[in-house]
Amino acid sequence: MMHFAPRWLALAGLAFVTTVTSVSAQTGTKIDSTNIRKIYDEALLRGQSYENLRQLTGTIGGRLSGSPQAAQAVQWGKVTMEKLGVDRVYLQEVMVPHWVRGPKEKGQIKPAKGKGLPLNLCALGGSVGTNGKMQAGVVEVDSWQELAAMPDDKVKGKFIFYNRPMNPTFIETGRAYGDAGDQRRRGAIEAAKRGAIGALVRSLSLAHDDFPHTGTMSYDEQVKKVPAAALSTNDADKLSQLLKADPGLTVELEMGCQQLPEEKSYNVIGEIKGSKYPNEIISVGGHLDSWDLAQGAHDDGTGCVQSMEVLRLLKATGLRPERTVRAVLFMNEENGTRGGNKYAELAKAANEKHVAAMESDGGGFTPRGFGIEGSPEVVTKVQQWSPLFTPYKSEEIGPGHGGTDIGPLKEQVKALIGYECDDQRYFDIHHTAADTFDKVNRRELELGGASMAALIYLISKYGL
């Protein structure tokens, strides 16, 4: 992400320039400035993202792939886009995994003496169950190197407790999340390789609270599958402290999760045909599935409603795109990326020409700008539009990550674009029971949808 002058200074100066001055077609024109203002005004006066999110989260809630709630969400998305009156709405079939959590997980620390202490924990997505209660000693590690250096007899038959925290010195919390996420993804595999009976993983959060964070984990078919659970950050700290005083303590764990046969599901797609270049496609999307602990509001209900709002804003302002714009509600981002893979597969089979793909999957917080995956020339072209976004404080445009669902399109598009918002609070609630509608701010959400629509308007007009 690029960094710019203080926003108050930019607003005082550049905002005036972009409103009244005609510039080159590369950087935008006075007409573009006026049209983008229309988009923001429509979003702030009559935006529908917030109310659509209220309906999705309030009537359906969590939408894990393969669940009845995910099926309900597909129908909700189709009906909601049909009400927009766009040119076409359709479903794209995709087979998805169906993992179920089962009864609420239970766990406790059992010291050598005294009563057991309950643990706030949850199964990681895709984990096998414990087949009743499982009790064993605990070995704490904070790196793969530390685990590798331990003798087999110290590890065998125990829980491996991965307690490396997210790095608080990283300003971009997404970077901190990615840096610590290998413990969650590989923890069970590496534990089983050493003869451990399970993995306990510190939740991926910078907050200190009692919410355990779920998320997908992996198995290797050549390695025994052992259970994996996430501990809240508070309880991870507690377990670490108690281990220092009582290395012989044990943890008792009980989880009833299981993997069921795959289910048929769908991506939901709505599109407005381009007025000049209908065969050139710009995709914008979020993922319709979510984890099952809460309502999936910020992750990723906000991305879905913002993507649908892009279509509505273009229609409501009369800014029919010159290139075809598709809103895609992807299925199965959380534990498989099946929807994103299927969309890319079918696009390639149909020999479609995709100009760009945009994804919103970082929450519905205050917009900051966009991260671009593309050639230096493409990144530079998009950056040249930055002054048009300065009045709206979302001008931070530069190289960055596009998104998980649009990633499979990488070889088919000129640019993958990630909508970027203020992510400082995102990982406090990410993948937890706290990811609920009440955590979303209406104005922040609607501003994000407007930012996305404005950039898509520009790409549609000028191409890449």
Side-chain angles (χ1 to χ4, degrees):
M1 178 181 292
M2 294 191 69
H3 297 282
F4 295 82
R7 285 190 173 82
W8 63 267
L9 182 61
L11 186 58
L14 286 176
F16 178 75
V17 173
T18 58
T19 300
V20 301
T21 305
S22 294
V23 291
S24 73
Q26 286 284 19
T27 58
T29 67
K30 180 180 178 182
I31 292 174
D32 293 327
S33 179
T34 300
N35 286 340
I36 288 172
R37 179 76 256 187
K38 288 180 182 178
I39 289 172
Y40 276 90
D41 285 351
E42 174 64 25
L44 293 172
L45 290 169
R46 291 171 289 275
Q48 293 181 11
S49 294
Y50 192 71
E51 290 306 317
N52 282 337
L53 183 65
R54 184 197 303 274
Q55 186 180 47
L56 173 63
T57 58
T59 62
I60 299 174
R63 310 167 295 278
L64 190 57
S65 292
S67 69
Q69 292 81 7
Q72 292 171 28
V74 166
Q75 293 307 311
W76 171 86
K78 182 173 184 291
V79 169
T80 303
M81 280 207 270
E82 286 173 343
K83 290 179 180 177
L84 297 178
V86 296
D87 297 327
R88 185 185 179 202
V89 178
Y90 58 102
L91 302 181
Q92 191 174 73
E93 182 178 318
V94 57
M95 296 300 294
V96 299
H98 186 193
W99 177 83
V100 293
R101 186 173 300 280
K104 182 175 175 55
E105 306 91 333
K106 297 178 182 178
Q108 60 176 318
I109 301 170
K110 305 194 83 169
K113 296 181 180 180
K115 295 182 179 180
L117 302 172
L119 285 169
N120 292 292
L121 56 78
C122 67
L124 291 176
S127 175
V128 295
T130 58
N131 193 27
K133 293 180 180 179
M134 177 182 285
Q135 185 172 336
V138 180
V139 176
E140 179 180 353
V141 299
D142 65 5
S143 70
W144 301 116
Q145 293 77 12
E146 184 177 2
L147 177 60
M150 287 184 174
D152 290 340
D153 60 357
K154 186 174 180 180
V155 176
K156 190 172 182 179
K158 296 183 179 180
F159 287 107
I160 302 299
F161 171 35
Y162 299 95
N163 195 32
R164 172 163 36 101
M166 286 174 57
N167 190 333
T169 67
F170 292 155
I171 303 304
E172 297 296 332
T173 61
R175 180 185 172 195
Y177 174 76
D179 179 66
D182 56 343
Q183 300 170 106
R184 191 188 72 197
R185 294 187 300 272
R186 292 174 45 203
I189 297 173
E190 300 304 322
K193 284 180 179 178
R194 298 300 307 279
I197 67 165
L200 304 173
V201 183
R202 182 187 184 89
S203 284
L204 299 182
S205 175
L206 290 164
H208 292 272
D209 57 31
D210 294 323
F211 290 106
H213 293 233
T214 192
T216 193
M217 50 81 69
S218 302
Y219 285 122
D220 183 333
E221 293 303 320
Q222 305 304 313
V223 178
K224 180 182 178 181
K225 296 180 180 181
V226 298
L231 306 182
S232 74
T233 51
N234 279 348
D235 281 5
D237 289 341
K238 178 171 67 177
L239 177 57
S240 181
Q241 292 166 3
L242 291 174
L243 274 170
K244 290 177 175 63
D246 181 7
L249 66 75
T250 60
V251 162
E252 183 179 273
L253 180 64
E254 185 175 7
M255 304 194 309
C257 42
Q258 58 181 314
Q259 194 77 40
L260 301 178
E262 292 187 351
E263 294 279 349
K264 182 190 298 184
S265 191
Y266 303 89
N267 294 327
V268 186
I269 303 172
E271 66 181 32
I272 299 175
K273 286 290 185 183
S275 60
K276 288 187 179 180
Y277 312 101
N279 293 327
E280 297 186 19
I281 299 163
I282 304 166
S283 298
V284 56
H287 64 86
L288 192 53
D289 63 305
S290 77
W291 286 108
D292 54 324
L293 296 178
Q295 296 177 330
H298 276 291
D299 188 22
D300 185 28
T302 54
C304 289
V305 298
Q306 287 173 327
S307 298
M308 294 191 294
E309 184 72 353
V310 167
L311 300 184
R312 193 195 73 81
L313 290 171
L314 294 175
K315 277 186 62 69
T317 54
L319 299 173
R320 187 172 187 94
E322 296 185 13
R323 290 166 171 83
T324 293
V325 176
R326 281 185 188 160
V328 186
L329 311 185
F330 294 97
M331 182 55 67
N332 185 231
E333 186 272 349
E334 294 292 6
N335 60 341
T337 324
R338 301 282 187 89
N341 287 329
K342 178 59 69 172
Y343 182 76
E345 173 193 325
L346 295 179
K348 185 175 183 179
N351 199 29
E352 292 179 340
K353 183 176 181 180
H354 285 254
V355 178
M358 179 186 294
E359 184 165 351
S360 171
D361 188 18
F365 301 102
T366 302
R368 290 289 181 254
F370 301 91
I372 315 295
E373 285 186 58
S375 68
E377 293 77 17
V378 167
V379 173
T380 297
K381 179 166 186 176
V382 180
Q383 284 178 319
Q384 289 175 334
W385 293 324
S386 177
L388 292 169
F389 291 87
T390 300
Y392 312 103
K393 303 183 179 180
S394 56
E395 74 278 15
E396 296 182 4
I397 299 173
H401 175 62
T404 300
D405 289 300
I406 61 175
L409 282 169
K410 187 170 185 176
E411 303 304 318
Q412 302 178 53
V413 298
K414 291 187 176 181
L416 300 176
I417 303 172
Y419 163 68
E420 294 188 352
C421 56
D422 188 332
D423 63 0
Q424 299 306 317
R425 293 171 288 156
Y426 184 48
F427 292 101
D428 292 0
I429 61 175
H430 182 251
H431 294 180
T432 76
D435 187 9
T436 50
F437 176 74
D438 60 293
K439 307 301 191 305
V440 180
N441 177 273
R442 179 195 291 268
R443 186 171 179 84
E444 292 177 356
L445 180 66
E446 302 294 358
L447 281 168
S451 297
M452 293 162 63
L455 184 54
I456 285 174
Y457 156 77
L458 292 167
I459 296 172
S460 171
K461 182 175 179 179
Y462 296 110
L464 293 177

